[in-house]
Amino acid sequence: RGHALLEAALLFTFLPFLFLGVSEFSEADMVLRRLDEATGKSADLIARVDSVSPGELDALKDNVINELMRPFPTAAFNVTLTSVVTDRDGRSTVAWSHSRGGSSAARAVGSAVVLPAGLAEPSTSVIMAESATRFASTFGTMIVGPRTMTGASYSAPRRGGQVAMRP
């Protein structure tokens, strides 16, 4: 009888912390999955068109990506969409770049970009989407402080060699 009471006391002091830890890590995993989905969808959607304007890229973030991230806050969510062109010599540079939300800035036109192995084929183009958000757990007990989560996705243009930027 005394053993059962002791075991129950030890177990019930440990279980709330276990529950909070599992729920916070589950929430973090859900945010990361939604971040990856939003990043991949944004690169894919831009790769499907011939040209795009800055207003259309803003609308993509403000409407589509914000819906994909729901119910999590998107005030700190940033997405940077970049058209990367690789020349005949295999050098990859920025053709255009646009950033929306958060605090990240767009990449400078003409700056060098290092692409993952196999993506920098000579005389090709790729749409690169980079995203970041700050995650702070609901309970704030097990995960110490907010964490920055990032994602990246690449898509080849489907219609022609490169997606152009319209004014």
Side-chain angles (χ1 to χ4, degrees):
R1 292 179 206 150
H3 295 289
L5 183 62
L6 181 61
E7 290 172 3
L10 290 174
L11 186 64
F12 287 126
T13 57
F14 176 71
L15 280 179
F17 293 107
L18 181 64
F19 171 74
L20 291 174
V22 167
S23 68
E24 287 182 10
F25 282 108
S26 296
E27 184 181 16
D29 184 58
M30 194 179 330
V31 169
L32 188 57
R33 287 175 188 256
R34 288 180 188 232
L35 177 80
D36 287 341
E37 181 181 359
T39 306
K41 295 271 190 218
S42 60
D44 183 55
L45 288 172
I46 299 305
R48 292 175 184 246
V49 297
D50 293 324
S51 63
V52 68
S53 70
E56 291 169 339
L57 294 175
D58 288 343
L60 174 72
K61 194 278 181 190
D62 294 342
N63 299 317
V64 177
I65 294 174
N66 285 354
E67 285 298 317
L68 289 172
M69 289 300 293
R70 266 189 166 173
F72 302 105
T74 57
F77 183 84
N78 173 275
V79 63
T80 301
L81 297 161
T82 305
S83 176
V84 180
V85 177
T86 305
D87 63 14
R88 283 185 270 157
D89 298 327
R91 289 187 299 261
S92 300
T93 57
V94 174
W96 57 261
S97 184
H98 182 82
S99 187
R100 179 76 167 172
S103 61
S104 296
R107 291 175 177 259
V109 173
S111 63
V113 176
V114 177
L115 294 174
L119 286 180
E121 295 293 324
S123 302
T124 61
S125 173
V126 67
I127 299 296
M128 177 174 63
E130 301 166 295
S131 61
T133 192
R134 296 285 288 165
F135 169 73
S137 66
T138 304
F139 296 115
T141 55
M142 296 297 184
I143 299 174
V144 180
R147 298 281 186 235
T148 299
M149 296 183 170
T150 60
S153 183
Y154 306 88
S155 285
R158 308 237 193 337
R159 308 172 92 195
Q162 180 182 353
V163 176
M165 175 64 84
R166 296 187 317 267

